[in-house]
Amino acid sequence: MALSEKLYTLRKKSGLSQEQLAEELNVSRQAISKWESGNSIPESDKLVAISNYFNVSLDYLLKDDEPSGVASPTDEESDSRETNHTRWILGIVACIGGVICLIVWGLLSILSPTASNRISESSTISIDGNGALLIACIAAIVVGATLLLKGSKRK
């Protein structure tokens, strides 16, 4: 697919008219028309602006050898952002849940030792109830932190 076709496709997918895109890029509507028809090519600063605006690489815009069956970079980047966002939210929830659980466990142990003993006696896990609760809280924090770190490395 040529640059002209890619520009047209990106503009249409974004629901923009030539006039609206021209305003965004600080060019005339006629310039957009010439670029999309293949009668002219944008200058390098305009190519960078197009790349940034549509969140695609310059390679994608300039290389003609893109296979037609491959998903567009905008779809891939969108999926990646969505996955990172989901991972980030799950990490935050797990960390906060683990911390809250630790705080509640600590307050319960201090303020009501009998309740702590009841948890210990009612546990079906071989570790006493307090140990199992502590391990679950720490595991939640570790899992949350791992999800957060994986999400931040990919950005």
Side-chain angles (χ1 to χ4, degrees):
M1 190 185 306
L3 170 65
S4 58
E5 295 168 344
K6 290 176 185 177
L7 183 56
Y8 175 80
T9 302
L10 289 169
R11 181 178 62 79
K12 284 296 186 181
K13 277 186 179 179
S14 297
L16 297 171
S17 67
Q18 287 183 342
E19 186 69 36
Q20 291 169 319
L21 181 58
E23 287 176 22
E24 291 294 329
L25 299 175
N26 253 354
V27 297
S28 67
R29 186 205 53 79
Q30 290 81 3
I32 302 293
S33 177
K34 287 179 182 179
W35 297 344
E36 288 183 355
S37 66
N39 291 335
S40 70
I41 298 173
E43 295 177 5
S44 60
D45 62 325
K46 296 305 177 189
L47 283 170
V48 171
I50 293 166
S51 169
N52 290 335
Y53 184 80
F54 290 114
N55 200 19
V56 296
S57 69
L58 286 171
D59 276 352
Y60 171 75
L61 288 174
L62 296 174
K63 289 185 178 179
D64 286 341
D65 56 5
E66 294 289 326
S68 59
V70 176
S72 72
T74 53
D75 293 342
E76 293 170 6
E77 290 173 3
S78 175
D79 290 346
S80 176
R81 269 186 254 133
E82 193 172 304
T83 301
N84 285 341
H85 184 69
T86 303
R87 184 176 287 134
W88 184 80
I89 289 174
L90 288 174
I92 292 289
V93 168
C95 283
I96 290 173
V99 168
I100 289 172
C101 189
L102 278 175
I103 292 169
V104 168
W105 174 72
L107 290 173
L108 187 64
S109 296
I110 293 169
L111 299 176
S112 181
T114 57
S116 180
N117 288 337
R118 279 185 271 155
I119 291 172
S120 178
E121 292 167 1
S122 69
S123 176
T124 57
I125 302 174
S126 61
I127 303 172
D128 75 346
N130 290 328
L133 187 58
L134 180 63
I135 290 170
C137 294
I138 291 172
I141 293 170
V142 168
V143 167
T146 303
L147 289 170
L148 286 172
L149 290 173
K150 281 185 179 179
S152 67
K153 281 183 185 176
R154 293 189 179 183
K155 290 180 182 181

